[in-house]
């Protein structure tokens, strides 16, 4: 099959390009670096730091012995005046001074934390937290209320969204996660359609401008050449996704092993007091959240809509590439066909906020907008009939568009040095 | 003998003009056929129809006795006027790819390509990118990929443009070689000298219409003006020659040789002319002046264009 030879060439030349290799390998690594590096760096820097000693001059007397020593901080209470304490910091006996001037219970506490070098921000938030708790306790006691009573009166409110289906199977819903997934996949499919569509177009333009196209269409049908190009580029895209998924999983698991909950604490990601129970709870929550999402289903739909949406737009891009000679002409024709997808991106907040509105539903069924709009809705759960209808329409449209594009393409690639107008393209369609 | 290509009443219109208007001619087997005509005459359209890049609106084309169909694609080699290769692709890889599109398998393609690359002394360029090659080298590569699948019909559109004289010679010899090995060659050119040198038959086309067709010698005979060129030693003007021999040019040079041009009537036998002329002096040379294809081309096109005004 000659189309196979064309697909092979398209695939190999693109995959062997340096830019492809760099993009494919570097993207997940960069992404992971952005996610994990700050944590790892902060974490290690604290490990290498020596333990800090903070001297506390508490004129109020409320906080004596209330600051607990931790792995990284030691607290010493001394009543020396500030100037002599500063002297000691100068000599590096202490790393910082917490000065709490005397005040009455009804006035705000204006404490000062002196240091020569910068102290971690987590330290001051920890100090504020303890002082607040302590003073509240004192105030309650002063008003004759038992702090234990107040503690007992604390309540937690949790509203868990639960969705159930026909079989009455219940599923906890995490709106934030669905939103991120919807936006993420919507944006991703938008980007890849344009990225690979553009690659097809520049491939067509390249063949046309260096005139090899005439030799090739004397051996194969223009339709075969166009389809070979589109399919070859699609395979490049799929290869890239596969590598991305595998690399992301690898890096993610490696990263999770490297960052234990204990280390997340020291970087201030969690409250120091409630370390053990909270971190465990968080991991359980995260796993539950992850389980609540049907990742396999989403990935499957992603592939489906990538292929459908890409085929639809790539055929249009190929048709445009066949008759434009220069950059300005290109923009004139690319803009109108990008409008539907741009429109969806502009409306993305409306879709995400109300994924079951009729507006969002229509956008996700109309073929030109459906790849992006449907991917935004899918994490929230979409009825099967809608997906089926939308995919069926997408397939019908892309077959039709490919047919139209092929007609334009086979005339366009043999036209040289003539500026093409919409009127002329209309004529080509009728040949 | 059955013609290799028969073009029968072929017409092709684009939306606003007729690119080919009822064109019919035959290309004999194993011959070199020149397709002549000014720019925009319809040559490229005709070539594209033969390559099945476009289809004719009317008419038929027979390829070696069978109607032209997609199975003939692998039997045709086409060198377009606008040359082009993938600039970023390696030469060898690209040549193999183009050969595969013509139906060769990769191994055979590579074997044959090595032979041709050796012959054209560009073997060391196999792994270079096309953009690193000089224009002449790219042309050689393009020529090789045109003939690599040993096509029965070769179509060359301006094959010599862009070559230096040495390479033009190399190419001419290759083209003659290919014909001797059995290929039928159709070539379109403006280079009239090469037409006279290479072509067995020609056809002249203008504005979609065929003006004339036939073998080069026949056409020259058809358009000759019955002018003979003679050189005579000690030419004596006193001796009478018949009136129907009009002397159109006479120049006596120092060493006693006179150059003459004599125009005669259509049916004059050259022997008769010689007999009459022998009396005037000693004949040094005698030759019938035939029009060059270039003259015929210009005259025909101008006549046609003028008659339309």
């Amino acid at each position: 099959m000659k189309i196979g030879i064309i697909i092979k060439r398209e695939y190999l030349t693109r995959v062997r390009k340096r830019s492809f290799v760099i993009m494919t390998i570097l993207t997940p690594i960069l992404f992971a670096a952005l996610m994990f590096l700050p944590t790892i760096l902060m974490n290690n820097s604290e490990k290498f730091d020596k333990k800090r000693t903070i001297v506390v001059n508490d004129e109020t007397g409320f906080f004596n012995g209330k600051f607990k020593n931790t792995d990284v901080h030691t607290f010493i209470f001394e009543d020396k005046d500030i100037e002599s304490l500063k002297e000691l910091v100068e000599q590096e006996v202490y790393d910082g001074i917490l000065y709490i001037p005397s005040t009455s219970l009804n006035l705000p506490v204006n404490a000062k934390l002196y240091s020569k070098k910068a102290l971690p921000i987590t330290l001051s938030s920890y100090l504020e937290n303890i002082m607040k708790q302590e003073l509240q306790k004192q105030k309650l006691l002063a008003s004759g209320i038992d702090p234990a009573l107040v503690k007992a009166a604390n309540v937690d409110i949790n509203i868990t969204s639960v969705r159930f289906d026909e079989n009455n199977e219940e599923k906890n819903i995490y709106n934030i996660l669905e939103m991120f997934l919807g936006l993420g996949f919507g944006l991703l499919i938008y980007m890849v359609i344009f990225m690979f569509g553009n690659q097809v177009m520049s491939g067509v333009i390249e063949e046309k401008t260096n005139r090899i196209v005439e030799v090739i269409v004397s051996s194969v049908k223009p339709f075969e050449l166009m389809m070979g190009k589109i399919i070859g580029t699609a395979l490049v895209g799929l290869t890239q996704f596969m590598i991305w998924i595998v690399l992301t999983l690898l890096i993610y698991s490696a990263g999770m092993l490297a960052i234990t909950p204990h280390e997340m604490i020291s970087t201030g990601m969690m409250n120091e007091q409630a370390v053990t129970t909270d971190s465990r709870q968080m991991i359980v929550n995260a796993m539950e959240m992850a389980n609540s999402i049907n990742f396999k289903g989403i990935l499957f739909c992603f592939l489906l809509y990538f292929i459908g949406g890409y085929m639809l737009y790539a055929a249009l891009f190929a048709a445009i590439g066949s008759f434009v000679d220069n950059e300005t002409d290109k923009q004139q024709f690319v803009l109108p066909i990008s409008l539907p997808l741009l429109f969806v991106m502009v409306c993305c907040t409306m879709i995400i906020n109300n994924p079951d509105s009729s507006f969002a539903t229509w956008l996700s069924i109309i073929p030109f907008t459906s790849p992006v709009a449907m991917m935004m809705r899918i994490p929230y759960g979409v009825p099967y009939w809608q997906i089926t209808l939308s995919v069926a329409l997408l397939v019908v449209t892309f077959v039709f568009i490919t047919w139209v594009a092929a007609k334009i393409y086979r005339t366009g690639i043999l036209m040289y040095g003539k500026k093409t107008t919409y009127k002329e393209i209309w004529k080509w369609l009728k040949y | 003998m059955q013609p290799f290509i028969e073009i029968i009443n072929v017409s092709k219109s684009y939306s606003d003009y007729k690119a080919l208007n009822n064109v019919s001619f035959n290309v004999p087997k194993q011959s070199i056929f020149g397709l002549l005509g000014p720019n925009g005459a319809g040559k490229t359209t005709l070539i594209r129809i033969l390559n099945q890049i476009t289809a004719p609106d009317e008419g038929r084309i027979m390829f070696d006795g069978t109607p032209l169909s997609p199975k003939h694609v692998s039997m045709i080699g086409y060198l377009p006027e606008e040359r082009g290769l993938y600039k970023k692709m390696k030469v060898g890889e690209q040549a193999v790819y183009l050969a595969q599109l013509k139906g060769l398998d990769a191994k055979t393609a590579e074997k044959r390509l090595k032979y041709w690359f050796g012959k054209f002394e560009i073997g060391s360029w196999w792994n270079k990118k096309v953009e690193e090659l000089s224009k002449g080298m790219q042309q050689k590569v393009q020529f090789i990929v045109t003939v690599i699948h040993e096509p029965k019909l070769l179509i060359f559109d301006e094959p010599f443009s862009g070559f230096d004289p040495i390479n033009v010679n190399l190419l001419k010899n290759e083209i003659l070689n290919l014909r001797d090995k059995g290929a039928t060659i159709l070539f379109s050119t403006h280079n009239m000298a090469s037409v006279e040198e290479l072509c067995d038959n020609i056809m002249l086309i203008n504005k979609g219409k065929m003006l004339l067709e036939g073998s080069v010698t026949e056409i020259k005979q058809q358009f000759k003006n019955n002018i003979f060129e003679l050189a005579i030693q000690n030419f004596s003007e006193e001796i009478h020659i018949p009136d129907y021999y009009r002397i159109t040019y006479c120049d006596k040079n120092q060493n006693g040789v006179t150059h003459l041009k004599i125009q005669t009537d259509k049916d004059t036998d050259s022997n008769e002319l010689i007999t009459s002329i022998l009396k005037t002096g000693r004949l040094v040379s005698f030759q019938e002046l035939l029009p060059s294809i270039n003259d015929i081309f210009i005259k025909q096109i101008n006549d046609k264009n003028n008659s339309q005004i």
Side-chain angles (χ1 to χ4, degrees), chain A residues 19-299:
Chain A
S19 56
F20 174 85
V21 177
I22 292 172
M23 266 280 280
T24 311
I25 294 177
L26 228 53
T27 308
I29 291 177
L30 270 180
F31 196 68
L34 275 178
M35 271 173 56
F36 290 120
L37 217 58
T39 324
I40 292 170
L41 282 182
M42 274 170 80
N43 169 13
N44 285 340
S45 71
E46 295 225 341
K47 241 184 225 165
F48 293 124
D49 277 356
K50 64 175 174 97
K51 232 172 150 177
R52 289 198 187 83
T53 311
I54 309 292
V55 58
V56 183
N57 180 352
D58 178 17
E59 289 182 355
T60 60
F62 289 142
F63 308 108
N64 205 339
K66 299 294 179 193
F67 302 124
K68 301 245 161 33
N69 292 344
T70 66
D71 287 352
V72 283
H73 295 120
T74 314
F75 297 98
I76 294 168
F77 287 82
E78 271 193 63
D79 288 337
K80 284 185 191 153
D81 68 297
I82 292 299
E83 290 313 314
S84 53
L85 287 175
K86 275 186 181 166
E87 200 68 20
L88 288 170
V89 172
E90 200 77 49
Q91 292 161 19
E92 301 195 350
V93 180
Y94 300 128
D95 297 289
I97 312 155
L98 177 66
Y99 172 57
I100 310 170
S102 67
T103 178
S104 84
L105 261 182
N106 298 323
L107 294 174
V109 176
N110 292 313
K112 284 195 172 91
L113 187 60
Y114 295 97
S115 68
K116 280 215 60 156
K117 291 175 198 147
L119 294 173
I121 198 151
T122 46
L123 175 64
S124 54
S125 63
Y126 168 68
L127 292 172
E128 272 171 20
N129 208 1
I130 296 291
M131 287 164 72
K132 205 168 156 187
Q133 283 179 11
E134 198 48 43
L135 275 185
Q136 273 175 349
K137 212 159 140 194
Q138 298 289 343
K139 272 188 161 183
L140 287 171
L141 280 173
S143 331
I145 301 166
D146 184 357
L149 265 178
V150 177
K151 208 174 176 185
N154 259 338
V155 286
D156 282 327
I157 311 279
N158 288 316
I159 298 182
T160 309
S161 308
V162 180
R163 228 171 269 155
F164 58 90
D165 57 15
E166 309 87 70
N167 307 327
N168 209 15
E169 270 191 44
E170 295 184 5
K171 206 174 81 178
N172 288 0
I173 302 302
Y174 299 90
N175 281 310
I176 298 279
L177 184 64
E178 290 177 341
M179 193 181 86
F180 274 119
L181 285 174
L183 275 179
F185 277 107
L187 192 67
L188 189 62
I189 211 155
Y190 171 83
M191 282 186 347
V192 294
I193 284 177
F194 273 104
M195 195 168 91
F196 292 110
N198 256 306
Q199 284 190 15
V200 171
M201 180 164 66
S202 36
V204 173
I205 293 177
E206 186 204 353
E207 276 170 7
K208 195 185 170 185
T209 45
N210 68 23
R211 313 283 164 138
I212 197 171
V213 70
E214 191 138 349
V215 178
I216 294 178
V217 294
S218 73
S219 312
V220 300
K221 291 204 184 75
F223 182 74
E224 287 177 291
L225 176 60
M226 185 180 98
M227 283 318 282
K229 210 169 230 348
I230 291 174
I231 294 170
T233 311
L235 291 178
V236 174
L238 291 176
T239 310
Q240 200 159 38
F241 294 149
M242 291 303 157
I243 299 176
W244 277 352
I245 289 171
V246 171
L247 275 183
T248 309
L249 286 179
L250 277 179
I251 293 171
Y252 181 75
S253 18
M256 282 324 258
L257 281 177
I259 302 176
T260 57
H262 178 72
E263 279 156 347
M264 286 163 101
I265 296 146
S266 58
T267 59
M269 280 169 82
M270 274 180 234
N271 190 310
E272 291 199 18
Q273 281 183 320
V275 171
T276 40
T277 47
D278 266 16
S279 65
R280 230 169 259 144
Q281 189 57 42
M282 220 178 102
I283 291 167
V284 172
N285 272 349
M287 280 167 68
E288 200 183 317
M289 274 166 88
N291 285 339
S292 77
I293 299 293
N294 180 1
F295 278 108
K296 272 185 204 147
I298 292 180
L299 278 179

